[in-house]
Amino acid sequence: SVVVRDYTSMVELLDHGNRNRYTAATVHNRHSSRSHAIFSVRVERKLRLRQADEAVELDEDGNAVERPWMHILTSTMNLVDLAGSERVGGVADLSRRRVKEATDINSSLTTLAKVIHALSST
């Protein structure tokens, strides 16, 4: 996890991750994602309490410690890009490496579908 403090830093981090992703041409797409990626953004906003509502905590010794920034609102957004699935039947010019890659991607997508189904049925 990396902490960034501004929009520009976040975009630079996203670009860095995209440069390290593996893509390849497929029958249907010249730049197909051949790897999965998850980019999670958590935004925190600190809300200052009104003076009359200043929060007071006690430290280990029982002394009052004022905490004027007690309320923190958080929001999380997950951007997910899954590798594209490929049909390998009927495509004669796929190398063994590409067939294995397509098989692995399809297998991981199937596993992901099972996880999502299990989570949604609880």
Side-chain angles (χ1 to χ4, degrees):
S1 143
V2 177
V3 175
V4 294
R5 304 247 181 250
D6 56 54
Y7 175 79
T8 302
S9 299
M10 182 186 71
V11 171
E12 288 173 358
L13 187 63
L14 182 60
D15 287 342
H16 175 74
N18 276 332
R19 283 191 303 272
N20 289 298
R21 297 208 48 217
Y22 177 59
T23 62
T26 64
V27 175
H28 301 289
N29 186 349
R30 289 185 335 151
H31 301 286
S32 178
S33 298
R34 309 317 294 156
S35 60
H36 305 312
I38 299 174
F39 187 74
S40 296
V41 179
R42 188 175 89 192
V43 177
E44 293 184 355
R45 180 175 178 202
K46 295 179 180 179
L47 299 177
R48 182 162 171 72
L49 298 173
R50 293 188 319 257
Q51 198 68 21
D53 294 337
E54 291 289 321
V56 177
E57 287 183 17
L58 299 180
D59 64 14
E60 300 89 27
D61 299 324
N63 300 317
V65 178
E66 290 189 18
R67 302 271 191 228
W69 294 98
M70 289 300 289
H71 292 293
I72 300 175
L73 297 177
T74 60
S75 180
T76 303
M77 176 177 58
N78 295 304
L79 305 172
V80 179
D81 181 18
L82 300 176
S85 66
E86 287 291 314
R87 299 178 111 192
V88 293
V91 180
D93 62 342
L94 284 180
S95 68
R96 285 183 188 209
R97 180 175 162 260
R98 293 298 299 276
V99 170
K100 177 163 180 11
E101 175 186 275
T103 301
D104 290 345
I105 289 171
N106 290 340
S107 176
S108 68
L109 291 172
T110 300
T111 301
L112 179 61
K114 289 177 181 178
V115 169
I116 291 170
H117 177 73
L119 290 172
S120 66
S121 63
T122 57

